[in-house]
Amino acid sequence: MSSPFLDYVEEQMLLRRYRPNTVKTYQHWIKYYIVFNNKRHPKQLGDDDVERFLTYLSVEKGVAPRTQALVLNALSFLYKEILDKPLGLQLQFQQSKANRKLPTVLLPNEILDLLSCLKPPYLTMAQLMYGSGLRKSEVIRLRVKDIDFDYAGIEVWDAKGGKHRRVTLARELFPILENHINFSIELLKQDLNNSEFRGVSMPFGLSKKYPRAPTDPNWQYLFPSSRLSFDKVAKELKRHHIHPSALRKAITTARHCAQIEKSVTCHTLRHSFATHLLQRGADIRTIQAQLGHTDVRTTQIYTHVLQMGADGVTSPLSLLSGQPDKH
């Protein structure tokens, strides 16, 4: 049974243009917080209860620092935006200790094996995550206009932290991406025959500024969903992008197919992108820019492999052919 209160939280977050996965995550932790406090309503709770919950997550559950910070963000949103009762600025709780593991990185031949077990559109999405260092959320939200064939690049908009960056694009993917673009445009033509269809969701308030953009071919998702869906915020019938869970499942299935013993996720391809660039001589600052890291120290986790200075960026996807077969 759904909770009217959590449904209200979801509605308010969607109105504020939070991403669906963020909404789902915040709902999860707010519900956990309520259950932890014997199902008392959050308006009956306060700073002390939040401190106890955050300490419990650190001491008893051993959550990672990033998870604890995410929970604090969720509860801060709850009290400030929903209950109009902001939390204190000096909360006292046991902070989780960093225990960062080195990222899992695949060898080039393992990348080839994994890709050989994927079919479009998931194959292309995986090639972009490895070839351009994109996050899962970034690749599924790509639009037709984001692909720059002239300068072999991809425009990544509103990425983690609301940042924008430009990344390299393997020229080997040009004809494949052109096919995806043509498919997306043909799908749009079919959708326009539906009188209830209202195009794609637009970021922030751009649909008001550019009312024709939702049905403009350039704004269509590069990897559209196979079916139309009802937008909860706009209350309109639209075509969304492929669901992230579908891509995640495809990668997991491919990992088993390729008989790779390592733990492989979508992010593994991004880790492999960064590590393989380092191995081929790319500068750490260049890789930082490609990944969109604010602090170079985040990027330096990949320096466990040999690094040499070099100018320019060549996508590692372009260099897969002719790799020695070694595990």
Side-chain angles (χ1 to χ4, degrees):
M1 181 182 296
S2 63
S3 162
F5 178 71
L6 292 177
D7 289 343
Y8 177 72
V9 171
E10 177 184 17
E11 178 184 342
Q12 291 302 308
M13 291 189 72
L14 291 175
L15 287 173
R16 290 168 172 78
R17 309 300 294 184
Y18 279 83
R19 292 174 184 161
N21 60 330
T22 303
V23 174
K24 184 178 179 180
T25 301
Y26 275 30
Q27 279 186 304
H28 167 77
W29 288 112
I30 291 172
K31 180 179 180 180
Y32 196 161
Y33 171 67
I34 293 172
V35 173
F36 176 80
N37 286 287
N38 301 314
K39 298 184 178 181
R40 293 168 61 195
H41 196 284
K43 66 183 179 183
Q44 299 174 347
L45 307 170
D47 287 7
D48 292 342
D49 304 289
V50 171
E51 290 172 347
R52 284 193 307 107
F53 182 56
L54 292 173
T55 298
Y56 164 77
L57 292 177
S58 172
V59 177
E60 300 295 330
K61 293 299 182 179
V63 301
R66 287 187 178 182
T67 301
Q68 190 184 47
L70 186 152
V71 176
L72 178 56
N73 288 339
L75 297 179
S76 295
F77 172 85
L78 170 66
Y79 279 94
K80 181 180 179 181
E81 305 295 340
I82 305 299
L83 302 177
D84 194 23
K85 181 185 173 183
L87 296 173
L89 298 177
Q90 301 296 328
L91 294 178
Q92 301 294 322
F93 58 89
Q94 179 67 49
Q95 295 188 350
S96 297
K97 296 180 180 179
N99 184 25
R100 193 170 187 182
K101 299 186 296 183
L102 289 177
T104 299
V105 175
L106 299 179
L107 296 171
N109 64 293
E110 291 175 322
I111 294 288
L112 284 169
D113 290 342
L114 186 75
L115 295 179
S116 69
C117 289
L118 289 165
K119 296 180 180 180
Y122 305 111
L123 170 59
T124 311
M125 299 171 84
Q127 289 173 318
L128 287 171
M129 287 188 289
Y130 172 68
S132 302
L134 298 180
R135 298 179 177 93
K136 175 181 63 179
S137 60
E138 294 169 349
V139 75
I140 64 173
R141 290 188 293 108
L142 284 176
R143 300 181 189 251
V144 170
K145 69 178 184 61
D146 297 332
I147 306 300
D148 186 348
F149 292 113
D150 292 334
Y151 293 96
I154 301 175
E155 301 286 345
V156 182
W157 299 92
D158 191 28
K160 188 175 182 180
K163 293 178 290 186
H164 163 65
R165 73 183 190 281
R166 183 182 179 85
V167 300
T168 188
L169 171 61
R171 294 183 179 275
E172 290 77 3
L173 292 180
F174 281 18
I176 300 171
L177 290 175
E178 287 174 348
N179 289 338
H180 281 286
I181 289 173
N182 291 334
F183 173 77
S184 182
I185 293 175
E186 286 301 316
L187 201 57
L188 172 64
K189 293 178 180 178
Q190 296 177 28
D191 290 339
L192 290 173
N193 293 324
N194 187 332
S195 60
E196 298 181 2
F197 177 67
R198 294 295 180 270
V200 297
S201 298
M202 297 292 292
F204 309 110
L206 289 182
S207 58
K208 295 181 179 179
K209 186 175 182 180
Y210 305 109
R212 295 184 180 181
T215 55
D216 186 321
N218 288 322
W219 278 97
Q220 304 309 301
Y221 285 116
L222 187 62
F223 304 109
S225 171
S226 60
R227 59 184 180 182
L228 298 174
S229 58
F230 192 72
D231 190 302
K232 292 183 178 180
V233 177
K235 311 297 182 184
E236 295 174 336
L237 188 67
K238 298 189 175 186
R239 188 174 293 279
H240 207 45
H241 53 62
I242 285 178
H243 198 277
S245 64
L247 175 57
R248 183 173 62 249
K249 292 176 183 177
I251 294 296
T252 300
T253 300
R255 174 227 163 188
H256 291 298
C257 166
Q259 299 182 345
I260 298 174
E261 295 182 359
K262 299 174 183 177
S263 176
V264 178
T265 66
C266 294
H267 219 67
T268 302
L269 295 171
R270 177 173 158 91
H271 290 321
S272 301
F273 162 83
T275 303
H276 293 174
L277 280 183
L278 272 175
Q279 289 176 320
R280 289 169 179 140
D283 181 80
I284 190 69
R285 292 287 182 178
T286 300
I287 298 174
Q288 176 191 2
Q290 290 284 306
L291 295 176
H293 289 162
T294 301
D295 194 330
V296 72
R297 289 176 295 182
T298 305
T299 317
Q300 285 174 339
I301 193 171
Y302 301 110
T303 57
H304 62 287
V305 295
L306 181 66
Q307 52 180 310
M308 298 176 292
D311 294 327
V313 178
T314 299
S315 170
L317 186 66
S318 301
L319 304 173
L320 279 181
S321 59
Q323 287 294 332
D325 185 15
K326 60 180 180 179
H327 287 271

